[in-house]
Amino acid sequence: MKDIDEDALRVGHPETSAAGLTAVAVALQRGLEQAGPVRTARSLARINQRGGFDCPGCAWPESNGHRKAAEFCENGAKAVAEEATVHTVTPEWWDAHPIESLEDKTDYWLSKQGRIAEPVVLRPGDDRYRRISWGDAFELVAEHVNASSPERCVFYTSGRTANETAFVYQLFARSLGTNNLPDCSNMCHESSGSALSPTIGIGKGTVSLEDIHDAQLVFVVGQNPGTNHPRMLSALKECRDRGGKVVAVNPLPEAGLLHFKDPQTVSGYVGQGATISDEFLQIKVGGDLALFQALGHLLLEEERRAPGTVVDRAFVDTQTEGFEAYAEARASIDWDETERATGIARAEIERTAELLAASKATIVCWALGLTQQPHSVDTIREIVNVLLVQGNFGKPGAGACPVRGHSNVQGDRTMGIWEKPKEEFLAALDAEFGIASPREHGLDSTETLHAFEGDAVDVFVSLGGNFAQANSDTEALEAGMRRTGLTVHISTKPNRSHVVHGRTSLILPTLGRTDRDDKHPSGRQFLSVEDSMSMVHSTQGRLEPVSEHLLAEPVIVARMAAAVLGEDHAVDWRAMAEDYDVIRDHISRVIPGFEDFNRRVRQRNGFQLPNPPRDTRTFATDAGRAQFTVSPLEYLEAPEGHLVLQTVRSHDQYNTTFYGQDDRYRGISDGRRVILVHPADLEALGFADRELVDVVSVFRGEERRANRFRLVGYPTARGCAAAYFPEANALVHRDLVARESNTPGFKALTVRFVPHAD
Ligand SMILES: Nc1nc2c(c(=O)[nH]1)N[C@H]1C(S)=C(S)[C@@H](COP(=O)(O)OP(=O)(O)OC[C@H]3O[C@@H](n4cnc5c(=O)[nH]c(N)nc54)[C@H](O)[C@@H]3O)O[C@H]1N2
Ligand SMILES: Nc1nc2c(c(=O)[nH]1)N[C@H]1C(S)=C(S)[C@@H](COP(=O)(O)OP(=O)(O)OC[C@H]3O[C@@H](n4cnc5c(=O)[nH]c(N)nc54)[C@H](O)[C@@H]3O)O[C@H]1N2
Ligand SMILES: [Mo]
């Protein structure tokens, strides 16, 4: 198995439409390569079907009505093939691969080795991982945790973790005495929650899948659905088929935003595909706050011109607060500055405002293009303002729709994976279990990075994920992780975080979404997840696990807790590990909306959690009303000789896992260390297309450097550049974060290039 050879890079033309026949072919091919025909057929047939498993690809919801035979997409199929592989990483494999030999391996190579087959340990002074029994592994965790203090133990969660596992995991951390529960959401949609909770009283989206179909206007802002949420394209197409309009806002002309070929219809196999966007606003990175302020201004102008036609006065007067101050702040606008901030001509913004003013049901969807910048929380609050003006909450086809990433990242938060838990949640938890949860807030992912740097972590437990690669400032982070006493990774596949291990390191292999979980006294178990639209439903794998030594995630967490806290602890960990219904009964008494959980999760389509803005047009903010807010104009501007760099996912990756080395829709093949730059900017900066450069990022006078990237001329917005995550993470200073949410500024780097000299 070869690792990535960056000199093999090929660049072709970006595609203008997403999905279609190639997508299906690619998906099948990847499955066959890794898992063989039987496992491929068996797993693909069960994705997102009732009684099957939830696709681990993304958090986009499944349809409630008739489900198509193939309720998945190319990238969902790739995610499944990645997990369903028959290749295994055995103790013999670890023995043949001393840790030093893994130092220069990429995550592509590491994950292609296969599924981890048995628990392994690397002890201080040793040079490789070796087999360890499950019992000894849990004892080792107990020794380390009990020799430390709770505030020096950190429990990270990646968003693939199911509800039941997440609940037991946070219960373990809180029983121990810490709220150190950082999660991938801290690096992802935290800004959305930070903006939505205080303004609309809930930190989640307020639309259902049917609303997308029914909308008159949908904005898709800072999101690349063709790659990251492909099934969303079907919903957008449905919306357009019913007469709705779509406006895409993005610095990159992403394939799926322009056209879509539905692989599930015959016409989707041929031709150019359906048009998705009625307007494509090619915005500068970081220009969205300016855009939505301008749209707000234009809506109010239109209302002045034709009173009673735009502002939903009844809604604004009875359900909101702060409209007067908002209207005053948006009464005037500096068009020169708005055009500079957005890179969009005034006429284009005015055209979009006309669509908005004419729409009686608007949804704004967004993803990471909005959440990973210093002013992210302000930007999302500005979107809320624009939605509130027209009363776009609690009516069909309207609302706010942060499109989540990991398939259960939203559910994990609902289950209490949060470093800043609410008092009501902790009180309910304490009452249910007779424990005394700590009230002091814990570390988020950025604070964890700082804690690693400051040698303030003794034990780091990672429930899924690849923290070393996912977070900022890779070099400092990896160095800090290496100085930690114990790192514990509950993982399906090897990754970089296993290589930059603590002084003692455990890798605990777990069943994945597709695997059968039937070694329980009460028989086969299932788990549950919550999608981006607050639908909770069951998920159950069918494949024979690749090794008899794998344990299910809830079992690993419960046994770890029992080992650390002792068998006589107030919580009956064993009962929860044996029968997940026991966990669900606890959840039903602790978390509002989960009443009668065990019965309702067994219903055909699961159930929808309460959502006051959507259900009853009510807003559980401190004041009991939705809040307009006023933010000053802010945008990103790079100094002379620099560009604003954002990081994106290629079409062939799942976060830090790579399925392959191509980014088909963007025309990039066989390479990942590339920087996409507008040809005119390349020329202005004095660089040539395909030139090999080192990249220097600048933040508060400090510089970071990452070497050997190819510049590629690409039609991105002027003044901006794009590189792949996680190759560019070494350039992100740990203090470059979004205010209030503390989410890393992964889409807000200031960079310059220097010719690479060997
Ligand atoms: N196949 C696949 N699916 C995935 C994932 C994956 O890695 N692979 N990851 C999952 C996860 S965890 C997540 S969070 C989601 C991520 O889903 P996305 O948010 O779609 O992911 P990114 O690749 O980060 O793309 C960000 C998009 O925002 C645009 N953008 C960047 N800066 C700005 C800006 O300032 N303004 C605007 N308007 N746009 C901007 C970029 O050009 C890009 O199109 O996908 C999930 N689904
Ligand atoms: N520069 C930059 N950095 C980013 C981002 C960005 O846009 N730009 N995006 C951020 C975002 S949105 C996110 S969500 C984070 C992602 O951060 P993480 O969630 O930490 O990273 P992943 O790459 O999703 O985790 C992959 C690993 O999870 C393990 N795994 C897979 N399936 C399972 C399972 O079923 N169970 C268990 N226990 N383990 C499993 C495998 O071992 C695999 O190696 O990265 C963030 N980092
Ligand atoms: Mo994410």
Side-chain angles (χ1 to χ4, degrees):
M1 160 79 229
K2 275 191 21 215
D3 209 338
I4 298 179
D5 170 11
E6 284 296 336
D7 292 328
L9 173 74
R10 285 178 293 128
V11 180
H13 284 292
E15 293 188 15
T16 54
S17 79
L21 196 56
T22 328
V24 175
V26 170
L28 283 176
Q29 186 202 336
R30 291 283 156 71
L32 293 170
E33 276 165 17
Q34 304 223 9
V38 175
R39 285 169 77 86
T40 301
R42 198 170 281 166
S43 52
L44 293 186
R46 303 306 307 174
I47 304 189
N48 292 339
Q49 299 297 318
R50 295 184 185 93
F53 63 91
D54 180 62
C55 179
C58 74
W60 189 256
E62 286 78 53
S63 50
N64 263 344
H66 170 70
R67 295 212 180 157
K68 294 175 181 150
E71 188 76 33
F72 63 91
C73 66
E74 172 193 352
N75 278 349
K78 287 196 260 179
V80 167
E82 181 80 14
E83 183 175 297
T85 179
V86 285
H87 302 288
T88 51
V89 171
T90 59
E92 291 69 36
W93 185 93
W94 291 108
D95 198 51
H97 293 87
I99 203 72
E100 211 187 331
S101 72
L102 302 176
E103 271 294 327
D104 60 350
K105 296 293 189 240
T106 65
D107 272 294
Y108 174 67
W109 187 91
L110 288 167
S111 84
K112 282 286 174 286
Q113 303 307 306
R115 289 284 297 272
I116 304 164
E118 288 186 50
V120 287
V121 63
L122 199 152
R123 296 185 191 271
D126 203 352
D127 68 346
R128 66 198 73 198
Y129 281 97
R130 299 184 195 274
R131 176 185 274 122
I132 185 172
S133 72
W134 279 105
D136 288 349
F138 293 131
E139 279 314 312
L140 193 58
V141 178
E143 264 170 44
H144 279 262
V145 171
N146 291 326
S148 173
S149 53
E151 72 278 4
R152 297 180 59 88
C153 299
V154 178
F155 299 89
Y156 174 69
T157 311
S158 169
R160 206 175 271 193
T161 303
N163 289 331
E164 291 77 0
T165 322
F167 185 80
V168 179
Y169 192 59
Q170 61 82 31
L171 179 63
F172 168 37
R174 293 186 170 121
S175 299
L176 181 69
T178 179
N179 286 311
N180 285 344
L181 286 157
D183 67 348
C184 68
S185 190
N186 295 147
M187 296 180 264
C188 184
H189 262 292
E190 197 66 55
S191 301
S192 303
S194 299
L196 294 175
S197 290
T199 53
I200 62 166
I202 189 167
K204 308 178 179 184
T206 68
V207 304
S208 66
L209 190 53
E210 288 66 39
D211 288 322
I212 304 267
H213 299 162
D214 292 340
Q216 294 179 17
L217 180 62
V218 179
F219 280 81
V220 182
V221 193
Q223 206 197 331
N224 180 20
T227 288
N228 298 314
H229 304 91
R231 285 177 301 117
M232 179 179 179
L233 298 182
S234 311
L236 293 175
K237 180 169 177 297
E238 175 77 30
C239 169
R240 291 196 84 249
D241 288 349
R242 295 186 190 185
K245 293 204 157 39
V246 175
V247 174
V249 185
N250 204 301
L252 296 174
E254 308 283 30
L257 295 176
L258 307 177
H259 296 282
F260 170 52
K261 298 182 196 171
D262 187 347
Q264 287 157 7
T265 65
V266 176
S267 61
Y269 288 140
V270 287
Q272 209 211 358
T275 300
I276 288 290
S277 303
D278 298 271
E279 285 281 348
F280 171 61
L281 302 180
Q282 187 162 34
I283 198 162
K284 279 191 177 171
V285 173
D288 306 84
L289 177 58
L291 173 67
F292 279 90
Q293 289 189 343
L295 291 175
H297 166 78
L298 291 169
L299 282 183
L300 297 173
E301 285 278 281
E302 182 58 21
E303 173 74 11
R304 238 188 313 277
R305 213 182 50 77
T309 59
V310 177
V311 178
D312 184 342
R313 213 56 245 198
F315 172 78
V316 168
D317 288 347
T318 60
Q319 310 292 77
T320 74
E321 261 184 17
F323 178 72
E324 300 313 322
Y326 169 73
E328 198 186 312
R330 297 285 80 82
S332 60
I333 185 170
D334 180 337
W335 276 111
D336 287 342
E337 193 169 24
T338 300
E339 288 188 330
R340 197 162 66 241
T342 58
I344 306 170
R346 174 175 178 173
E348 254 186 291
I349 299 178
E350 285 174 343
R351 224 165 42 229
T352 305
E354 279 166 26
L355 290 179
L356 188 56
S359 165
K360 297 289 170 225
T362 300
I363 291 175
V364 182
C365 299
W366 71 90
L368 302 192
L370 294 193
T371 63
Q372 301 174 328
Q373 293 158 348
H375 54 303
S376 284
V377 179
D378 288 334
T379 302
I380 297 164
R381 276 195 292 245
E382 206 62 49
I383 288 176
V384 170
N385 287 334
V386 169
L387 289 171
L388 286 174
V389 167
Q390 292 179 288
N392 277 314
F393 287 96
K395 63 183 184 187
C401 181
V403 182
R404 303 277 161 170
H406 266 297
S407 50
N408 198 42
V409 61
Q410 184 160 320
D412 291 344
R413 187 56 64 86
T414 307
M415 289 297 123
I417 302 289
W418 199 17
E419 73 284 353
K420 299 184 196 69
K422 288 253 169 29
E423 174 56 31
E424 306 88 82
F425 175 84
L426 295 179
L429 198 66
D430 291 356
E432 174 72 9
F433 293 100
I435 60 169
S437 298
R439 265 42 185 184
E440 199 184 321
H441 288 173
L443 303 175
D444 64 21
S445 66
T446 299
E447 290 161 344
T448 299
L449 164 53
H450 284 270
F452 273 126
E453 243 237 313
D455 292 327
V457 184
D458 291 333
V459 178
F460 179 70
V461 182
S462 190
L463 182 51
N466 186 1
F467 195 74
Q469 286 289 288
N471 214 332
S472 312
D473 244 339
T474 316
E475 220 173 288
L477 173 58
E478 291 191 353
M481 285 179 82
R482 289 179 200 268
R483 295 192 303 269
T484 302
L486 174 71
T487 48
V488 183
H489 293 282
I490 301 168
S491 310
T492 49
K493 294 223 158 166
N495 66 41
R496 176 74 182 168
S497 297
H498 305 154
V499 177
V500 294
H501 56 84
R503 290 196 298 274
T504 300
S505 176
L506 278 169
I507 303 176
L508 307 179
T510 182
L511 297 178
R513 278 280 165 81
T514 52
D515 296 319
R516 201 164 59 213
D517 180 8
D518 55 4
K519 287 196 219 144
H520 296 261
S522 57
R524 182 183 288 191
Q525 303 290 310
F526 68 89
L527 291 162
S528 69
V529 293
E530 173 187 342
D531 67 30
S532 224
M533 295 177 180
S534 308
M535 290 293 304
V536 178
H537 61 85
S538 65
T539 171
Q540 187 173 43
R542 300 282 169 122
L543 294 183
E544 180 70 29
V546 288
S547 152
E548 57 179 336
H549 301 287
L550 306 185
L551 289 183
E553 285 182 333
V555 176
I556 296 175
V557 173
R559 285 185 61 182
M560 188 184 295
V564 169
L565 298 164
E567 291 291 342
D568 53 355
H569 185 257
V571 177
D572 188 348
W573 304 102
R574 180 191 294 266
M576 293 194 282
E578 286 183 350
D579 185 350
Y580 305 165
D581 276 359
V582 174
I583 308 175
R584 283 185 285 268
D585 279 338
H586 286 302
I587 292 172
S588 71
R589 291 188 291 265
V590 172
I591 303 178
F594 284 83
E595 297 76 17
D596 206 8
F597 190 9
N598 266 310
R599 183 186 62 78
R600 289 197 297 153
V601 75
R602 287 174 165 88
Q603 291 172 161
R604 236 168 98 79
N605 293 316
F607 59 94
Q608 191 153 31
L609 291 173
N611 189 304
R614 182 189 59 216
D615 303 340
T616 53
R617 268 199 154 181
T618 50
F619 302 90
T621 59
D622 290 343
R625 288 177 176 219
Q627 301 293 312
F628 280 95
T629 52
V630 174
S631 303
L633 178 56
E634 184 177 336
Y635 50 100
L636 303 172
E637 253 183 331
E640 186 66 33
H642 293 71
L643 298 174
V644 179
L645 177 86
Q646 57 136 333
T647 57
V648 291
R649 290 149 173 81
S650 84
H651 193 61
D652 254 1
Q653 77 183 83
Y654 195 87
N655 298 338
T656 69
T657 300
F658 312 146
Y659 307 132
Q661 303 162 48
D662 301 341
D663 195 5
R664 199 173 74 244
Y665 293 157
R666 299 195 186 106
I668 308 285
S669 313
D670 290 321
R672 295 186 43 92
R673 291 184 82 82
V674 296
I675 312 261
L676 311 180
V677 181
H678 195 282
D681 284 325
L682 275 184
E683 200 184 316
L685 292 170
F687 287 94
D689 189 26
R690 244 45 77 70
E691 189 167 341
L692 192 61
V693 295
D694 298 343
V695 186
V696 178
S697 69
V698 194
F699 178 75
R700 292 192 190 148
E702 279 188 54
E703 295 191 344
R704 300 275 187 279
R705 194 177 174 114
N707 293 346
R708 287 187 67 88
F709 282 82
R710 284 274 164 210
L711 296 175
V712 172
Y714 197 88
T716 179
R718 289 293 309 268
C720 306
Y724 295 124
F725 146 51
E727 282 78 356
N729 288 40
L731 294 165
V732 189
H733 192 291
R734 57 194 164 287
D735 291 330
L736 171 58
V737 292
R739 295 188 302 273
E740 297 176 58
S741 65
N742 224 10
T743 296
F746 293 135
K747 291 181 173 61
L749 285 88
T750 302
V751 298
R752 66 169 184 273
F753 311 123
V754 283
H756 176 76
D758 258 327

